[in-house]
Amino acid sequence: MSVNTHISPASPNPAIRNRCLWLKFKAKTLLVVGLRAQAHDVFQEILAINPADPLALNSLGYQELSDQRFIQALGYFERALVQTPHNANAHFNVGFVCEELGRSQQAELTFKAALQIDEKLDRAWYGLGLALVRQQRFEEALAAFKRNTELQSMSPFAWYQMARVHMELGQPEEALAVMRHLKGFEPKVAAQLERETGLKLGGPA
């Protein structure tokens, strides 16, 4: 696409700006009523007017992600990140897709970039932990999951991963402590860990 079609977000032509606003309203309405394919077409129309529109890029990225078209989703999210480099969520989106694609080192770097912007972005800590587990950097992963649980104490996901990491590190007592904690608010997850680890809350199996 020719760079001449780029519309600067700072001072767009009023008519073009109004057209984009109308198209965004239309696309959001279509999404609300479940017409994803039609919304996709409208977001593409927005990009034809302004290839740098972050809303359209992110929305198309999420649609591709929901269809598990990860390469396509990554392309949109990377383009959105170029437009909003100081947005922690933009970095997170790229990291999330990289993790889904198994690109753990790229995911790690992108999650860390998100956390430099927003240290309390709990899902970025979780994603970072997963990326580090893939690289078998278990001590670092454990620290990331612990930070996630500090920010989201009632979410079972990082607790679950912490128990698994403790087992990888040969720390069954620490894993049991996590399982006991989980049993207090997510007994099904604790029971799943018992099955997966062979540990029992009353002691080793």
Side-chain angles (χ1 to χ4, degrees):
M1 186 175 294
S2 170
V3 294
N4 291 331
T5 63
H6 175 77
I7 304 301
S8 171
S11 57
N13 179 291
I16 293 176
R17 181 177 181 275
N18 289 337
R19 175 64 175 165
C20 282
L21 289 173
W22 159 243
L23 289 171
K24 289 177 184 180
F25 173 78
K26 180 179 178 181
K28 291 177 182 178
T29 302
L30 289 168
L31 287 176
V32 167
V33 298
L35 299 176
R36 292 177 63 246
Q38 292 89 329
H40 182 279
D41 291 341
V42 176
F43 282 125
Q44 291 287 9
E45 189 175 350
I46 294 170
L47 290 185
I49 299 171
N50 179 9
D53 187 272
L55 175 64
L57 291 168
N58 276 310
S59 298
L60 288 167
Y62 288 127
Q63 288 191 37
E64 297 289 1
L65 187 60
S66 68
D67 293 331
Q68 297 190 334
R69 292 162 56 91
F70 298 118
I71 296 296
Q72 292 84 346
L74 182 60
Y76 285 120
F77 287 141
E78 286 180 333
R79 288 169 62 187
L81 178 57
V82 170
Q83 302 305 316
T84 56
H86 303 297
N87 186 305
N89 287 313
H91 288 276
F92 172 83
N93 289 340
V94 172
F96 180 87
V97 179
C98 287
E99 175 61 25
E100 290 292 324
L101 289 169
R103 301 178 184 179
S104 58
Q105 292 182 333
Q106 186 178 354
E108 175 194 351
L109 293 174
T110 313
F111 287 134
K112 286 181 175 178
L115 291 168
Q116 286 182 346
I117 298 169
D118 183 1
E119 194 273 340
K120 293 185 178 181
L121 189 63
D122 56 276
R123 59 185 179 275
W125 284 111
Y126 182 76
L128 176 59
L130 293 179
L132 293 168
V133 166
R134 279 185 180 268
Q135 299 175 62
Q136 298 188 347
R137 293 159 58 187
F138 298 119
E139 293 285 359
E140 295 172 77
L142 190 61
F145 290 135
K146 283 182 177 178
R147 183 63 180 129
N148 177 272
T149 62
E150 291 170 1
L151 295 166
Q152 284 287 347
S153 61
M154 298 303 291
S155 174
F157 302 109
W159 291 108
Y160 168 86
Q161 294 294 342
M162 283 173 60
R164 296 299 301 265
V165 171
H166 278 306
M167 292 300 293
E168 291 286 351
L169 291 169
Q171 301 170 344
E173 289 302 320
E174 287 83 350
L176 278 168
V178 173
M179 291 163 61
R180 293 188 188 100
H181 179 77
L182 269 170
K183 190 174 182 179
F185 67 99
E186 285 288 351
K188 290 183 179 179
V189 178
Q192 181 181 343
L193 281 166
E194 285 187 287
R195 293 191 298 271
E196 293 176 357
T197 64
L199 299 175
K200 299 298 179 183
L201 292 175

